[in-house]
Amino acid sequence: MKERDELLDKYSAKVFKNRKQHITQLEFGEEADTITANTRAVPGSMTARGCCYAGCKGVVVGPMKDVAVITHGPIGCAFYSWGTRRNKAKSDPESDNKNFIPYSLCTDMRPTDVVFGGEKKLEQAIDEVMDIFNPKCMMICSTCPIGLIGDDVQAVARRTEQKYGIKAIGFSCEGYKGVSQSAGHHIANNGLMRYIIGTGDKKPKNNFSVNILGEYNIGADGWEEERILKRCGIEVTSVFTGDGSYETMKNAHLAGLNLVMCHRSINYVAEMMKTKYGIDWIKVNFIGVGATCRSLRMIAKYFNDPALTARVEEVIAEETAAISEDMAYYKSKLSGKTAGIFVGGSRSHHYQLLLRDLGMETIMAGYEFAHRDDYEGREVIPFIKSDADTKNIEEITVQPDAELFQKRYTEEEIAALKADGVELDTYDGMFKDMKTGYMVVDDYNFHEVDALGKSMKPDIIFSGIKDKYSTMKDGVGSRQIHSYDYSGPYSGFTGAVIFAKDVVMALYTPTWGLVKAPWKNEPLLTGTLTGGEA
Amino acid sequence: MLDMTPKELKERKGITINPCKTCEPVGAMFFALGVHKCMPHSHGSQGCCSYHRTVITRHFKEPAIATSSSFTEGASVFGGRSNLTTAVKNIFDIYDPDIIAVHTTCLSETIGDDVGSYILDLEVPEGKLVIHASTPSYEGSHIQGFSNMSMGFINYLTKKTDTLNGKTAIFPGWVNPGDCREMKRIAAEMGAEVTMFPDFDGTMDSPMTGKYEYYGEGGTTIPEIQQMGDSENLIALGTFASGESFHLMRKKFKTEGMLLPMPVGITLTDKFVMALRTLTQHEVPKSLEQERGRLVDMLMDAANYTYHKKAAIYGDPDVVYAMTSLCLEMGMIPKYVITGTPKSEFEKQIKELIASYSIEEECVVKADTDLFYLHQLIKNEKVDIMIGSSYGKYIARAEDVPYVRAGFPVLDRYGAPIQTICGYTGGVYFAEKIINALLDRFDRDVSDEDFECVL
C-alpha cells in the first residue's frame, strides 16, 4: 500500500527490514492482518518509548496515594516522575489521610554509593521516611545502576518489614530491563499480586462489586467512572491504581468482578486473580458514549440481576439524554474529520470509539509498548514468540487459593455470556475496530509520526508531548492523550463532552487563521494597471 | 497540599524529598539543542531520553528532538558499543543532522562504556561529526551536565590558528532563547561581533510557519564553534554553568576574557556592559544608558512595596545568584536561598553577595538541599514571596505565599522562554513580575476600608 511504502522508503535496508514488520496497513483479506510488537526499538530511531522504571514506578505503583515510593538511584528518575503524570488522588480516612502524590522520594545516589553500594544509604533513607511520614506501605523502585552494582532491594524491603512491621516491596525495575515500559508493568503487577492483593479481609458491602484495573485516574477519568458505577448501584472495591491505595488493594480479591481498562499494563493481575481467586474479568472501555454504554451493559449481563439491569438502563438513558444536545453540536463541528492516535498501550484503541461517536475516523494509530494481543486480540497469545528480552522478565505462576477460590460461572455459562457479547476474560484488540487502508504503527518513532502526518493528512493527531509541538508547527491539530493537555476527565458521559469540546478547540482556535503573515500573500510592489480601467 | 510535611526540621542523610535539581544528562541534551543542526544523543536506556525530551519540551513548549541508544539488558552486560554504532548510522540516515552530540547516562557510566574510543571507530559520513561528553547522573546536577557538554564541544571541535578573528565569544550559561537574544542585542549595541555558544535563539523558540523542520534556523554553527579558539576575547556568564568552559578556553587557547554572573538586574548587567566596554573599547551608547536609567527609576519608585520584603529563592545556582542580586537591589531580604546542585561555592558566593548589602537579618543559604527543606524553613518563618521553578508551586499553595516563576523548569506558564530576564530590559520585565505579585497579594488581603485605587 502506498502510504506504508512511502513511510518505509527512507530507511536503510537493515532498518527497513525491522520496521516493516511493525507497520501494518490493514487489509482484512483472507489472511489475518498481523504485526510485530514488544521487540527491541531501533537505536537512533527516536522511539517514543520510555523504560521499565517508567512502567513500574511511573505508571503502575506511583499513583498509590498511601504508599511511600522511594526511587533508589541518582536523582533524575525521581525528578522526572514527580507530578508529571496527572494521576489525581484525594486523601481520605480509608487511606490513613496520607497522600504521597505531591512528594518525590529518592536516595539521590552519589559516586561513592555507586562504587561501594547503595544499600546503606537506602536503609538510612527508609529510616528517615518512617520517621517523617510513618507510612503503612513502602515501595522501592530501582533505577539503572542498582542492578548493575548489585544492591538487593528485595532484601532491604524484607528487612524493612521486620524492623517496622509495615508492608515493604522492592521492585527490580531497572530502566534497561525489557524493551519498553511494558516490562515495568509486568514487574509491578507481580509485586502487587505477590504481596498486597489478598492480604485484607474487608468484604464489599454490596452484591455487585468490582475492581477497576488499569485506570490511573488521569484527568479524573477514574472518578467519572466511579460516579457512573455508583449511580448504577455497583460498588468499587479498589482501583488499580489511580487514586488507589494499599489499604483498598488488600481487599481486591473480595470483589465480584474485575473491569480491565488498560489491558496492556494490568492484564497480568487480571489473569492471576482469575486463576487464584476465580474472579472473572471484562475488558471494558469507558472512553466513548457508545463504549461506556456497552461496558455497563456487559457488567449488568455478567451479574445477571434484573434490578441491576434495569438500573443500568435507567442510568444510561438519563446520562445520554443529559449530554445528547452537546454531543450533537460537537458532532456537527467534527463529523467527517480524520485523526491519528499514537499513545501507550490501550488508549489508541479506546479513543477511536469516542471519535466515532463524534463522526470522526481514526485513519492511523499506534502504540508505544503494546504486545501483539493488544492489536490482534488475545487469541494470538499462544502464537507469540517469546524472545530473550521478554524471558528476562519474571512470569509468576499462581495456584487456586484453597479457601478463597470461587468461580461464579461454569465454563458453559461463560461461553454463553461470551456469545451474548460480553468481552469476558478476553480482549479482542484494536484491529477489529479499524477499517481497510488504515495504518497501524507499533513502536512509532518521531520520523514516522511526522511523515504519516504529511502523507495521510489527518486533521488532528492525538499523541504525547514529544510529538505535540512538531505536529502543530506542521499545521495539524494536536491533543495530548497521555495528559489530556491538563484537561479532563475524558471518560464516561461527562468526559465525552469535555473531550469533544477540547477537540473542537484544537481544530477551531482562531489563531490557526493567523499563521500566514499578510505580506506573504501580497506583493510589495503596488501600482495601477495600465491599459485597463483604473 | 503537602499536608504531611512537618514543621520540625531534622537532619537527613539518606532521603532527598522533592528535589531542587535533576541529573547531568538532561543538561547535556539541552546544551546540544543550542547548536545548529545538532542531534543530541542519549547513550543509555530509552527512558532517560524520553524523560529529558519531555521536561525540555514542557518548559519551552517546543519540540525537543533527541535519540537514544536504547540499551537492553544485553547491552548493559556486553557494553553499548554496538548500540551506539547502530544508532549513529540510523540517525544520520533518518534525521540527517550535521553533528551528533552523545552524552552518557548513569547506566553507560556504571558499566564503564568508553564512548570516546567508540567514536574513534565509527564510520561517520563525509562532512558530518560526532562528539561526546561524559555525564554520569550520580555526580553534580543538570548544571554540571550542561557544563560537561560545553567542554565536550570545545575539546572535540574548537581550534586555534595564528590569527585572531576579532570576535567576542559569549557563553550565556543555562538561559532561555529570549535571554540569548537580549545578550546579543546588548553586545551589538556595544559594537561587538559575537559568537554565542550555545545559542537557543531560533532553536528552542522557533516561529510557527505551518511547516515543521527538525532543525531550527538558530543555534551556534559548527564553523563558529571550530573558530572559537581564535576569538579576540570571551565573556562567560553564569559561573556554575559556564565557569569550567571559561577556564578551558583560557587554558587551551589563552583566550582573554571575563567570567561573570548571569546579567540580571542593574549591577550584574552593569558588569556585563562594563566587560564589553573594556573588551571592545566601545563607549556605552546612550540607548543602553537610558534603559539602565529606566530600570533604576522603576525600582526606586516601587521600593515602597519591596523594601525589606523577604524572599525565598530556589533553583539553579546561576539564576538563583542573579535573582538574589536583583532582590537585594530592590531592598528585599533574601531570607532563604537554596539550590539542589551540590556546589559549596554557591553558599560562599551568595553569602558574600548578601554581606555586600549589609543585611542584618539572618539568611539561610544552602547548596545540595531540596524543596522539602525549603518548605520546612517557610513553615518556621514565612516569607513574602517565593521565586523559582514550577516545583515551588506546591509550597506556595500550601503556605499561601506569592510566587514568581523563574529558572528551569517552568512547566505551567506560557511565554517566559521568549521573554528575557537579562539586561536592563529583562530587569524591568522581571521586577514588574515581583512587584505585581506583592501588590496583588496586598490588594487581596487588605480590608475594604484599606483597599485603595492608587498605590
Side-chain angles (χ1 to χ4, degrees):
Chain A
M1 290 206 182
K2 196 172 124 270
E3 289 90 352
R4 179 173 179 269
D5 296 342
E6 274 176 17
L7 184 62
L8 290 163
D9 197 39
K10 181 145 192 174
Y11 291 132
S12 64
K14 223 170 149 187
V15 178
F16 176 87
K17 210 176 138 203
N18 178 306
R19 290 303 301 156
K20 75 178 170 98
Q21 303 167 49
H22 295 265
I23 300 172
T24 297
Q25 200 156 5
L26 295 169
E27 294 179 18
F28 295 102
E30 278 181 19
E31 243 177 81
D33 295 296
T34 62
I35 199 162
T36 300
N38 192 37
T39 60
R40 292 178 188 181
V42 175
S45 66
M46 215 182 296
T47 169
R49 282 177 174 177
C51 63
C52 183
Y53 165 87
C56 180
K57 194 274 183 181
V59 175
V60 181
V61 307
M64 294 177 70
K65 60 191 173 187
D66 58 351
V67 179
V69 181
I70 298 176
T71 296
H72 185 35
I75 197 69
C77 307
F79 177 82
Y80 305 114
S81 58
W82 172 29
T84 50
R85 215 176 160 263
R86 302 200 71 224
N87 30 253
K88 291 173 184 279
K90 245 185 248 169
S91 58
D92 53 33
E94 201 176 14
S95 54
D96 215 9
N97 289 316
K98 296 256 190 284
N99 187 357
F100 281 96
I101 300 302
Y103 290 89
S104 166
L105 312 174
C106 184
T107 49
D108 188 9
M109 286 172 82
R110 306 296 169 93
T112 46
D113 305 315
V114 174
V115 175
F116 300 109
E119 280 187 31
K120 225 172 126 188
K121 190 167 193 189
L122 175 60
E123 296 202 53
Q124 171 81 28
I126 288 168
D127 289 342
E128 290 166 5
V129 167
M130 285 308 299
D131 181 42
I132 297 166
F133 300 112
N134 195 26
K136 285 189 182 149
C137 180
M138 197 183 282
M139 294 183 187
I140 306 154
C141 290
S142 307
T143 68
C144 287
I146 304 311
L148 301 170
I149 64 172
D151 278 7
D152 187 344
V153 295
Q154 277 88 1
V156 173
R158 284 194 295 273
R159 289 202 288 274
T160 303
E161 291 198 328
Q162 283 158 9
K163 187 168 175 184
Y164 291 107
I166 64 161
K167 178 66 70 186
I169 308 174
F171 292 100
S172 295
C173 53
E174 287 83 355
Y176 55 77
K177 291 211 169 139
V179 298
S180 69
Q181 292 96 312
S182 179
H185 305 146
H186 197 160
I187 289 168
N189 276 230
N190 289 349
L192 301 182
M193 189 67 203
R194 202 176 248 156
Y195 301 111
I196 298 185
I197 299 163
T199 57
D201 54 11
K202 199 173 149 198
K203 290 203 171 85
K205 296 185 194 90
N206 190 320
N207 285 337
F208 315 116
S209 61
V210 296
N211 300 306
I212 313 179
L213 308 186
E215 172 50 66
Y216 301 104
N217 203 29
I218 310 291
D221 274 357
W223 290 335
E224 166 70 0
E225 289 155 24
E226 282 186 64
R227 179 188 75 81
I228 298 166
L229 291 168
K230 215 169 155 187
R231 280 203 69 196
C232 295
I234 297 162
E235 181 178 337
V236 176
T237 303
S238 72
V239 181
F240 288 50
T241 53
D243 196 31
S245 64
Y246 162 67
E247 287 297 337
T248 52
M249 192 181 281
K250 287 196 298 193
N251 308 313
H253 63 298
L254 301 170
L257 175 67
N258 278 328
L259 310 180
V260 172
M261 267 298 277
C262 176
H263 174 258
R264 181 69 267 134
S265 64
I266 212 81
N267 74 91
Y268 317 95
V269 158
E271 277 291 292
M272 288 188 279
M273 285 178 78
K274 183 172 176 281
T275 309
K276 189 168 178 183
Y277 303 108
I279 302 174
D280 289 308
W281 60 275
I282 294 180
K283 175 67 188 81
V284 293
N285 175 17
F286 290 110
I287 304 295
V289 179
T292 301
C293 295
R294 175 175 178 251
S295 297
L296 292 173
R297 287 180 176 130
M298 287 196 293
I299 298 165
K301 277 182 187 168
Y302 181 82
F303 284 120
N304 192 25
D305 178 272
L308 177 69
T309 306
R311 180 63 192 151
V312 162
E313 289 304 328
E314 237 172 69
V315 170
I316 288 174
E318 280 173 28
E319 295 276 345
T320 49
I323 62 167
S324 66
E325 203 177 314
D326 283 340
M327 287 301 278
Y329 168 74
Y330 292 121
K331 190 172 177 177
S332 75
K333 305 285 279 182
L334 298 173
S335 203
K337 297 204 180 292
T338 56
I341 314 180
F342 297 99
V343 218
S346 282
R347 290 188 222 195
S348 299
H349 181 193
H350 291 167
Y351 278 84
Q352 295 191 28
L353 302 173
L354 176 47
L355 288 166
R356 210 161 267 163
D357 288 341
L358 295 162
M360 290 176 69
E361 278 299 308
T362 304
I363 55 174
M364 53 201 230
Y367 286 132
E368 262 180 49
F369 47 73
H371 297 198
R372 274 185 63 195
D373 38 317
D374 300 299
Y375 296 99
E376 301 172 55
R378 283 186 76 94
E379 63 270 24
V380 301
I381 288 178
F383 308 104
I384 297 176
K385 279 184 234 144
S386 187
D387 59 13
D389 297 312
T390 302
K391 280 178 191 148
N392 282 339
I393 308 303
E394 189 190 11
E395 188 93 39
I396 60 176
T397 328
V398 293
Q399 302 298 333
D401 189 284
E403 288 167 32
L404 295 163
F405 183 87
Q406 202 182 349
K407 270 189 102 152
R408 187 184 289 263
Y409 292 118
T410 63
E411 291 307 318
E412 293 74 37
E413 287 166 328
I414 295 270
L417 278 165
K418 281 184 179 178
D420 198 17
V422 181
E423 216 168 329
L424 189 58
D425 303 328
T426 195
Y427 173 43
D428 295 337
M430 178 170 82
F431 280 179
K432 296 182 185 75
D433 275 318
M434 297 184 77
K435 295 178 183 170
T436 306
Y438 289 8
M439 188 80 75
V440 182
V441 186
D442 174 66
D443 181 22
Y444 60 91
N445 60 47
F446 193 75
H447 153 68
E448 287 162 358
V449 173
D450 186 50
L452 281 173
K454 287 177 169 99
S455 68
M456 296 188 73
K457 296 190 174 56
D459 295 293
I460 185 164
I461 293 180
F462 298 93
S463 187
I465 190 74
K466 299 194 292 282
D467 306 313
K468 180 182 176 70
Y469 298 110
S470 51
T471 300
M472 285 169 65
K473 279 183 196 292
D474 256 341
V476 178
S478 159
R479 291 295 295 174
Q480 291 182 61
I481 281 303
H482 293 273
S483 72
Y484 304 171
D485 283 291
Y486 326 106
S487 176
Y490 282 171
S491 66
F493 302 104
T494 316
V497 177
I498 297 171
F499 176 79
K501 181 171 109 279
D502 287 349
V503 176
V504 166
M505 173 175 65
L507 294 178
Y508 289 92
T509 295
T511 318
W512 282 119
L514 305 173
V515 173
K516 202 157 204 183
W519 51 87
K520 291 280 185 195
N521 296 324
E522 238 173 79
L524 179 63
L525 287 171
T526 54
T528 40
L529 290 168
T530 52
E533 283 181 25
Chain B
M1 184 49 62
L2 296 174
D3 294 334
M4 302 190 301
T5 304
K7 188 176 169 188
E8 189 196 353
L9 279 152
K10 276 188 193 168
E11 198 196 357
R12 283 175 281 128
K13 287 184 181 145
I15 196 81
T16 292
I17 310 172
N18 298 354
C20 189
K21 64 166 179 183
T22 179
C23 63
E24 286 199 2
V26 75
M29 181 184 286
F30 175 50
F31 189 99
L33 288 167
V35 172
H36 185 64
K37 282 199 84 176
C38 176
M39 180 67 81
H41 180 80
S42 169
H43 188 55
S45 299
Q46 281 155 189
C48 311
C49 187
S50 187
Y51 275 145
H52 301 155
R53 288 180 63 203
T54 297
V55 70
I56 293 172
T57 303
R58 283 177 169 158
H59 174 87
F60 292 98
K61 317 295 181 197
E62 285 286 311
I65 58 171
T67 48
S68 169
S69 286
S70 294
F71 270 54
T72 56
E73 200 145 0
S76 309
V77 174
F78 301 112
R81 179 194 284 268
S82 126
N83 289 52
L84 184 66
T85 310
T86 310
V88 164
K89 181 178 170 10
N90 292 338
I91 295 162
F92 282 126
D93 279 353
I94 305 169
Y95 296 102
D96 192 33
D98 286 344
I99 183 167
I100 298 172
V102 182
H103 61 263
T104 57
T105 57
C106 49
L107 171 53
S108 50
E109 287 290 335
T110 304
I111 64 170
D113 258 3
D114 185 357
V115 173
S117 80
Y118 298 171
I119 287 177
L120 290 175
D121 298 336
L122 287 175
E123 277 178 45
V124 178
E126 180 84 24
K128 306 280 182 180
L129 295 162
V130 181
I131 66 130
H132 100 284
S134 187
T135 50
S137 322
Y138 40 78
E139 282 179 14
S141 73
H142 55 301
I143 300 299
Q144 187 66 50
F146 182 91
S147 173
N148 290 1
M149 184 47 89
S150 173
M151 292 189 287
F153 273 103
I154 295 169
N155 281 325
Y156 269 86
L157 300 182
T158 308
K159 300 278 180 302
K160 189 180 170 73
T161 66
D162 297 335
T163 340
L164 296 184
N165 60 16
K167 282 186 166 181
T168 298
I170 295 181
F171 295 172
W174 188 304
V175 292
N176 282 326
D179 299 318
C180 291
R181 263 196 300 281
E182 179 63 5
M183 290 173 190
K184 285 192 284 192
R185 188 188 67 86
I186 293 173
E189 292 238 2
M190 292 299 299
E193 201 191 330
V194 162
T195 298
M196 175 149 292
F197 173 68
D199 190 354
F200 303 108
D201 174 14
T203 68
M204 295 314 290
D205 63 347
S206 59
M208 173 68 120
T209 60
K211 191 171 186 315
Y212 170 67
E213 306 278 355
Y214 292 147
Y215 309 99
E217 286 180 13
T220 318
T221 64
I222 293 166
E224 281 179 316
I225 302 171
Q226 286 167 333
Q227 292 155 19
M228 229 159 46
D230 289 335
S231 298
E232 199 77 26
N233 44 55
L234 162 69
I235 300 176
L237 300 165
T239 53
F240 294 91
S242 303
E244 287 173 332
S245 298
F246 172 79
H247 293 299
L248 181 65
M249 290 289 288
R250 298 265 286 196
K251 203 175 131 201
K252 230 176 151 172
F253 309 113
K254 310 272 179 295
T255 313
E256 294 292 322
M258 295 178 204
L259 175 62
L260 302 172
M262 207 173 146
V264 170
I266 297 158
T267 40
L268 302 189
T269 305
D270 286 350
K271 284 187 183 187
F272 179 49
V273 171
M274 288 299 279
L276 284 163
R277 184 170 174 266
T278 308
L279 297 173
T280 61
Q281 288 296 299
H282 190 289
E283 200 41 85
V284 180
K286 194 168 177 195
S287 53
L288 269 181
E289 197 170 307
Q290 284 177 331
E291 282 175 28
R292 183 184 190 280
R294 283 193 290 268
L295 175 59
V296 178
D297 193 64
M298 175 195 176
L299 298 192
M300 194 87 81
D301 295 345
N304 200 24
Y305 303 102
T306 58
Y307 187 70
H308 279 194
K309 287 286 186 295
K310 290 176 189 169
I313 307 165
Y314 61 92
D316 302 337
D318 289 320
V319 73
V320 167
Y321 184 89
M323 286 297 154
T324 307
S325 176
L326 176 65
C327 286
L328 286 162
E329 287 167 357
M330 296 168 81
M332 294 164 71
I333 295 166
K335 182 73 191 164
Y336 308 126
V337 187
I338 73 144
T339 184
T341 293
K343 290 260 187 192
S344 53
E345 177 64 20
F346 169 83
E347 295 179 11
K348 188 170 158 272
Q349 283 189 16
I350 300 279
K351 280 177 184 162
E352 279 171 14
L353 178 65
I354 295 174
S356 72
Y357 279 81
S358 316
I359 300 289
E360 286 165 22
E361 171 119 8
E362 206 178 308
C363 300
V364 178
V365 180
K366 204 164 174 353
D368 199 4
T369 187
D370 55 29
L371 295 180
F372 186 78
Y373 173 69
L374 178 67
H375 188 184
Q376 290 187 309
L377 290 174
I378 292 172
K379 272 188 178 293
N380 281 280
E381 191 182 339
K382 217 170 162 175
V383 288
D384 299 298
I385 193 163
M386 287 172 57
I387 301 170
S389 78
S390 287
Y391 281 97
K393 76 187 289 184
Y394 298 95
I395 303 173
R397 182 180 169 96
E399 304 305 325
D400 195 23
V401 180
Y403 159 51
V404 179
R405 288 158 182 83
F408 181 88
V410 174
L411 306 168
D412 60 336
R413 290 294 184 271
Y414 288 77
I418 305 169
Q419 302 279 2
T420 182
I421 59 168
C422 290
Y424 306 119
T425 316
V428 170
Y429 163 74
F430 201 77
E432 188 199 355
K433 282 192 165 197
I434 295 176
I435 295 160
N436 287 353
L438 290 166
L439 288 176
D440 283 347
R441 176 55 54 101
F442 177 80
D443 276 343
R444 191 197 83 177
D445 288 351
V446 290
S447 56
D448 276 1
E449 58 275 26
D450 293 327
F451 190 68
E452 300 186 55
C453 184
V454 185
L455 291 172

